[in-house]
Amino acid sequence: MSEHEQDDLIEQARKRFAGPVNFLLSAPELQFLPAPDVPEIAFAGRSNVGKSSLLNAITGRHGLARTSVTPGRTQELNIFEVGEPVQFRLVDMPGYGFAEAPKDVVRQWKHLVFDYLRGRVVLRRVLVLIDSRHGIKPVDREIMGILDKAAMSFLVVLTKADKIKPSALDALTEATLNASRIHPAAYPQVFATSAEKGLGIPELRAAILAAATI
């Protein structure tokens, strides 16, 4: 994609997300999901990785996705609709890897997430969020492996990139890209973002629009 085409896509994405974006529902089980009639882009990541903050930054709405000081609070698939009529949906998946959650709750979350990843026919891409301060952890590799098996394309997104030095961020981005290359389902790009500072948000917004509509 040329620089002009990229700039055009960024502007299209800005306009799309400046339009209607609404919370639809929270689904504790797959049977409660809406009809699979439009493309979906899902957000996956460890608890406290900043999924809600990133969703709010992408959509330009401070209170669309509720953030919590208690990691692991999101226990359902939270569905947001973009456009009117609806063009595509964003799906905030339950955070994984929170050790203090009861084992039966963790098991329930895993079943919900894994069943969604493997069986949702309109799911176009999964954004795997990685905290820039910690890098890829074994539980992140586990979810990437599941995405490989499901042949579900995923894009790695570094969050909270403002919390580390620019030189460290450059090194982390390169290391993360190299680590993702061993996964057949990984998209060959890594986005470094900061919901607080706006770093990388226009570019990620454009990538979401492209995955959902092109």
Side-chain angles (χ1 to χ4, degrees), residues 104-208:
D104 59 334
V105 174
V106 172
R107 187 163 52 248
Q108 180 181 346
W109 294 356
K110 280 190 174 182
H111 287 161
L112 177 64
V113 168
F114 296 169
D115 287 348
Y116 173 74
L117 293 177
R118 287 193 291 248
R120 190 67 169 170
V121 295
V122 292
L123 181 57
R124 292 283 182 84
R125 184 157 295 153
V126 176
L127 307 187
V128 177
L129 276 51
I130 306 292
D131 192 322
S132 294
R133 299 169 299 179
H134 307 304
I136 297 175
K137 296 294 186 183
V139 70
D140 300 313
R141 295 190 181 279
E142 180 183 352
I143 203 83
M144 292 178 190
I146 289 166
L147 289 163
D148 285 339
K149 291 178 182 177
M152 173 50 60
S153 173
F154 69 88
L155 174 67
V156 177
V157 178
L158 298 173
T159 63
K160 307 181 183 181
D162 59 303
K163 304 300 183 185
I164 64 174
K165 294 180 179 179
S167 58
L169 178 61
D170 290 342
L172 175 65
T173 301
E174 184 65 25
T176 304
L177 180 60
N178 290 335
S180 69
R181 286 195 175 113
I182 68 172
H183 295 277
Y187 192 80
Q189 192 173 6
V190 171
F191 284 80
T193 67
S194 166
E196 184 176 336
K197 303 295 185 181
L199 172 68
I201 298 301
E203 293 79 8
L204 180 57
R205 208 182 271 140
I208 290 171

Side-chain angles (χ1 to χ4, degrees), residues 17 41 43 55 59 78-80 82 88-92 208:
F17 282 100
I41 306 294
F43 291 68
L55 270 162
T59 60
N78 292 316
I79 315 296
F80 305 89
V82 181
F88 57 93
R89 297 188 181 102
L90 305 178
V91 182
D92 181 12
I208 290 171

Side-chain angles (χ1 to χ4, degrees), residues 19-89:
V21 180
N22 299 295
F23 171 74
L24 177 63
L25 56 81
S26 294
E29 297 177 14
L30 296 190
Q31 68 190 65
F32 297 104
L33 289 173
D37 49 8
V38 296
E40 293 175 355
I41 306 294
F43 291 68
R46 285 182 282 122
S47 297
N48 210 25
V49 75
K51 280 195 286 89
S52 296
S53 295
L54 188 65
L55 270 162
N56 288 335
I58 289 168
T59 60
R61 291 158 173 83
H62 295 296
L64 184 70
R66 286 179 292 179
T67 58
S68 174
V69 295
T70 306
R73 187 167 183 176
T74 301
Q75 301 177 26
E76 302 173 329
L77 296 169
N78 292 316
I79 315 296
F80 305 89
E81 295 188 326
V82 181
E84 197 173 286
V86 179
Q87 301 298 306
F88 57 93
R89 297 188 181 102

